[in-house]
Amino acid sequence: SQTIHQWPATLVQPVGSPLSLECTVEGTSNPNLYWYRQAAGRGLQLLFYSVGIGQISSEVPQNLSASRPQDRQFILSSKKLLLSDSGFYLCAWSVQGGGTGNTIYFGEGSWLTVV
Amino acid sequence: RKEVEQDPGPFNVPEGATVAFNCTYSNSASQSFFWYRQDCRKEPKLLMSVYSSGNEDGRFTAQLNRASQYISLLIRDSKLSDSATYLCVVKVYGQNFVFGPGTRLSVLP
């Protein structure tokens, strides 16, 4: 069966520090991969998605970046964090080219607090 | 107009009550529809897909009205464990999933 893991689960970072969140998917090949952010009490905001190695699409301009160095690995980074980057970050995957039954599955999430 | 809209909530209901959530979507080309559940400080998890003919899973019933671009979720005999935020999700083939803002449900003893 397919599984998705992301880490770290929780982190507290000072303003201006770098960020690296990692996500891996097991049990599937060539998945679509996504990074979402959810601010406190808010809905899900799509940050990045990827349909293949090295292929990244950004939905929202910001000081974050994403990379997909391997088929089932997705990384979210920042060189300098802002207070507004605080939130709940979720990695997700879906089957590429799936039909109407295609669903999206989330990792456990990473809580980021920028202080 | 937002792509997916839901009842603003929160809904506070007693145990055993029946509660209905509504969702509307703006893109008539939408093909896939889902309800997700998100517990506090956790990731969203698939509750059920929504099919054109409507579908039921235990105490949960989902309905789709394509003409009105409307989706509903009915929960019968509410349990304390049903307390969560319910997210309506819509997808057009070849495009990304679109999430509604969610409706929070609190089932009270």
Side-chain angles (χ1 to χ4, degrees), chain A residues 34 36 38 43-44 46 49 59 88 90 94 97-108 111, chain B residues 31-34 36 38 40-46 49 87 89 91 93 95-97 99-101:
Chain A
Y34 311 82
Y36 287 86
Q38 189 173 37
L44 288 167
L46 178 62
Y49 69 93
E59 290 292 301
F88 188 39
L90 289 155
S94 68
T100 55
N102 190 20
T103 52
I104 186 169
Y105 302 93
F106 290 88
E108 305 95 330
W111 283 98
Chain B
Q31 297 174 296
S32 303
F33 310 91
F34 312 93
Y36 277 70
Q38 185 174 23
C40 187
R41 299 181 67 84
K42 297 289 188 179
E43 75 276 22
K45 293 183 179 179
L46 177 67
S49 300
L87 304 170
V89 184
K91 188 178 189 308
Y93 185 76
Q95 297 184 20
N96 287 320
F97 294 84
F99 286 79

Side-chain angles (χ1 to χ4, degrees), chain B residues 4 23 25 30 32-34 71 88-92 96-98:
Chain B
V4 179
C23 170
Y25 59 95
S30 299
S32 303
F33 310 91
F34 312 93
I71 307 160
C88 175
V89 184
V90 172
K91 188 178 189 308
V92 175
N96 287 320
F97 294 84
V98 182

Side-chain angles (χ1 to χ4, degrees), chain B residues 56-67:
Chain B
E56 186 175 305
D57 183 1
R59 298 181 293 110
F60 300 84
T61 301
Q63 296 281 351
L64 168 64
N65 185 323
R66 287 186 183 271

Side-chain angles (χ1 to χ4, degrees), chain B residues 70-84:
Chain B
Y70 167 90
I71 307 160
S72 66
L73 176 67
L74 185 75
I75 305 176
R76 293 182 299 278
D77 188 23
S78 300
K79 311 291 185 188
L80 295 176
S81 57
D82 293 333
S83 297

